[in-house]
Amino acid sequence: MLSDDELLRYSRQILMPRFDIAGQEKLQSARVLVIGAGGLGCPVALYLGAAGVGTLTLVDDDNIELANLQRQIGFETSLLGESKAESLADRIRRINPLVSVIALNQRLEGEALTRTVTEATLVVDCTDNFNTRFALNRACVASKVPLVSGAAIRGEGQVSVYDSRREDSPCYHCLYPEQGNEDLTCSEAGVIAPLVGMIGATQAMEAIKVISGVGSPLVGRLLILDAWEMQWREMKLARDPSCPVCSS
């Protein structure tokens, strides 16, 4: 049951017939795990917190550096040296005190990662390295928790949704083999600031769609953005019948 304060705060969402109070209540009861509180994680967490996701868990073991401020909009100069996860959690609490925000200033691995994923309604991957992405994908497939994946580098970005609850859904490993992928980070290749906002906002929208059941999530579809040409392309993704992660 939504309170009067919640009905007013979320009124612009509740006004939409497709979303309505039912959609808002689904957001309110959801537990979303956001892995990475950087360029993608900032807009994802800020939008989901403002939209009324009941519980947000933010995971990042890094501290805020000067070079982050060009694109990581959850932070400011006065926070240099502070924990990204804790600082972003504080920002969300100031925006929306009605949501619960948990900050984990650590790298989740092994049993801790599996346990945390299992407790989530949905996971949003905002990381920048393949090892973490593959581990997160395996945990989501094993726990049948939907995964919203995003990436951005230079002027290019991509978004997809992997939902192992659906028999037709591929997983992240169906798209990328675990061997032969080398990390290329923003610190090495660069990234234009608004790009991570565009991809992060798209991830937040996909998360809301999956949780609320409204709209058609990007399951079996990979959305690719060339920001310099401002062109979106869509690729169809099929489940790999021989995938070592999801085929069994």
Side-chain angles (χ1 to χ4, degrees):
M1 179 70 68
L2 299 175
S3 67
D4 289 344
D5 286 348
E6 288 168 329
L7 289 171
L8 180 58
R9 179 182 287 267
Y10 308 126
S11 60
R12 298 302 186 272
Q13 293 173 176
I14 294 171
L15 280 171
M16 295 183 292
R18 295 181 69 189
F19 195 78
D20 208 345
I21 290 178
Q24 193 63 51
E25 289 178 335
K26 289 179 181 178
L27 286 188
Q28 186 184 47
S29 62
R31 300 178 61 90
V32 174
L33 174 63
V34 180
I35 307 291
L40 298 176
C42 281
V44 166
L46 291 172
Y47 272 120
L48 292 182
V53 167
T55 303
L56 279 173
T57 301
L58 313 180
V59 182
D60 200 305
D61 64 346
D62 283 343
N63 294 329
I64 301 166
E65 301 176 358
L66 184 61
N68 300 147
L69 301 183
Q70 162 253 7
R71 65 199 177 281
Q72 298 180 14
I73 58 170
F75 311 128
E76 55 192 61
T77 304
S78 64
L79 297 174
L80 290 176
E82 299 294 323
S83 160
K84 287 185 178 181
E86 293 174 3
S87 298
L88 186 56
D90 287 341
R91 175 77 181 275
I92 295 168
R93 293 184 190 109
R94 291 196 298 271
I95 293 172
N96 188 356
L98 302 179
V99 302
S100 174
V101 190
I102 302 166
L104 299 180
N105 185 24
Q106 64 187 86
R107 184 180 294 269
L108 284 180
E109 297 175 324
E111 292 183 4
L113 175 62
T114 301
R115 182 178 64 254
T116 309
V117 167
T118 302
E119 295 170 350
T121 305
L122 176 140
V123 176
V124 188
D125 181 1
C126 301
T127 63
D128 61 357
N129 71 84
F130 278 108
N131 286 337
T132 301
R133 290 172 183 165
F134 286 124
L136 196 54
N137 177 66
R138 287 193 295 270
C140 286
V141 170
S143 302
K144 293 194 178 299
V145 174
L147 173 65
V148 179
S149 175
I153 198 163
R154 300 191 181 99
E156 300 174 351
Q158 62 182 43
V159 184
S160 190
V161 176
Y162 307 103
D163 190 346
S164 56
R165 299 172 303 177
R166 293 176 46 169
E167 292 187 1
D168 62 334
S169 174
C171 76
Y172 185 80
H173 199 286
C174 293
L175 178 61
Y176 292 106
E178 199 152 349
Q179 302 298 324
N181 278 306
E182 297 181 358
D183 293 338
L184 187 61
T185 64
C186 296
S187 61
E188 298 168 325
V191 63
I192 193 68
L195 173 66
V196 293
M198 298 171 73
I199 297 299
T202 305
Q203 287 181 273
M205 186 66 204
E206 290 301 304
I208 289 172
K209 287 159 60 179
V210 173
I211 293 168
S212 66
V214 177
S216 301
L218 287 168
V219 177
R221 298 183 288 156
L222 178 69
L223 204 58
I224 303 171
L225 170 63
D226 181 339
W228 292 116
E229 301 299 327
M230 201 48 68
Q231 292 180 343
W232 290 91
R233 293 185 295 123
E234 182 178 298
M235 291 177 55
K236 299 294 184 182
L237 301 179
R239 187 170 187 173
D240 181 358
S242 61
C243 175
V245 176
C246 69
S247 62
S248 57

